Amino acid sequence: MAVGADRIDNQVDDQNDRRAELAERLAAVRARIAAACVAAGRSPDEVALLAVTKTVPAADVALLLDLGVTALGENRVQEAAAKVREVARLRPDAAPRWHVVGGLQRNKAREVVRWADRVESVDSERLADALDRAVRREQETGRRAGPLPVLVQFSVDGDPERGGVPRSGLLQLAEHVATCAGLQLDGLMAVAPLGADPDAAFAEVESAADLLRSEFPQARTLSAGMSGDLEAAVRHGSVVVRVGTALVGERPITSR
Ligand SMILES: *Cc1c(COP(=O)(O)O)cnc(C)c1O
């Protein structure tokens, strides 16, 4: 009995410690974003934080929601579906927005459109078609009203591992997405190549985003910048930074 009570006390202590740690990290990330905006002559409320919670347990996600995070990014679709349900159970009133930020297989489209509020990693016409079909099926059965907002993923260096469409294919992909009734083209997402100078990379990203906007004025969103390079992305017009490690730490706790 006493041992059980001790264990519960320890769990409560752990939870409080983790909450304090996440609060501190979140404040630091928000301060970095604000400082980057000021340095770039931009208003801090122009840049939104997308908390990337891949590998992070639902309990931690719930704490992030308690701390005021409203948008969550996942790149492991298989892991995400169960987490989305678990977070909804833990925080039924929170209604966070879930964004898919990583490589997505076409055979996962049907599942993803059930919970995703935005897919940021559309990098092929075939993936766009699969999402479009899945959305329209959800619409026909009354489970979804509007189209699915998407970003096209741009590749700075054409590395197929990281995904994304090179500049030469960007407008053709965007035109295709724009013809998909189930999809709404909101903008562009990019990941800077590993080891590259982030300013040079994000200058190319910004230029690609300008090109996209010149043909599709409604595609205003630029999702760029992560834990290691958000300042450079903010200097180059990003309006969404996707932050994982700086928020949740190097080794997310998976035992809860
Ligand atoms: C993991 C991931 C992030 C977050 O990266 P951190 O370096 O952990 O901040 C952002 N975008 C994508 C596409 C990711 O897969």
Side-chain angles (χ1 to χ4, degrees):
M1 188 67 188
V3 171
D6 272 358
R7 187 174 303 137
I8 289 167
D9 280 352
N10 286 339
Q11 283 174 356
V12 169
D13 284 349
D14 282 357
Q15 182 87 349
N16 286 340
D17 288 352
R18 185 60 172 156
R19 184 189 305 266
E21 184 192 343
L22 290 174
E24 201 172 299
R25 287 177 171 277
L26 177 61
V29 168
R30 290 205 192 286
R32 273 180 68 189
I33 295 171
C37 287
V38 169
R42 302 178 58 192
S43 161
D45 58 17
E46 280 176 40
V47 178
L49 171 63
L50 180 64
V52 177
T53 50
K54 62 187 179 208
T55 77
V56 177
D60 276 3
V61 177
L63 294 175
L64 287 172
L65 298 180
D66 295 345
L67 294 167
V69 166
T70 56
L72 303 164
E74 286 286 333
N75 77 343
R76 302 183 183 185
V77 166
Q78 211 68 325
E79 170 196 317
K83 196 190 294 182
V84 170
R85 282 194 298 275
E86 178 66 3
V87 169
R89 192 184 64 77
L90 291 171
R91 296 294 185 274
D93 299 325
R97 297 177 50 78
W98 292 94
H99 295 201
V100 174
V101 299
L104 175 56
Q105 285 166 346
R106 280 176 288 132
N107 63 7
K108 300 290 187 307
R110 281 186 75 173
E111 188 199 306
V112 159
V113 302
R114 301 219 169 101
W115 54 263
D117 296 292
R118 179 155 94 199
V119 173
E120 304 202 353
S121 44
V122 173
D123 63 355
S124 74
E125 296 187 10
R126 295 172 76 197
L127 176 57
D129 287 341
L131 289 168
D132 181 45
R133 271 196 303 277
V135 168
R136 286 190 284 133
R137 193 177 288 122
E138 292 291 286
Q139 288 173 335
E140 278 157 21
T141 55
R143 279 193 294 236
R144 175 172 207 118
L148 174 71
V150 300
L151 307 182
V152 290
Q153 184 177 347
F154 168 66
S155 170
V156 175
D157 61 355
D159 176 0
E161 278 289 295
R162 211 175 297 105
V165 64
R167 188 180 170 104
S168 58
L170 180 64
L171 288 184
Q172 192 184 325
L173 175 58
E175 267 153 34
H176 186 82
V177 169
T179 65
C180 294
L183 305 181
Q184 174 182 307
L185 176 63
D186 276 357
L188 187 128
M189 183 273 261
V191 180
L194 268 180
D197 166 25
D199 266 299
F202 288 127
E204 284 194 46
V205 170
E206 185 174 28
S207 165
D210 288 345
L211 175 66
L212 179 68
R213 220 166 348 207
S214 70
E215 293 289 325
F216 303 93
Q218 79 283 6
R220 277 187 301 268
T221 300
L222 174 55
S223 171
M226 320 199 301
S227 295
D229 57 18
L230 70 88
E231 284 82 3
V234 167
R235 275 196 289 281
H236 292 284
S238 174
V239 297
V240 180
V241 292
R242 308 180 307 272
V243 180
T245 312
L247 265 187
V248 297
E250 287 290 344
R251 291 184 60 238
I253 296 159
T254 51
S255 58
R256 283 180 202 144

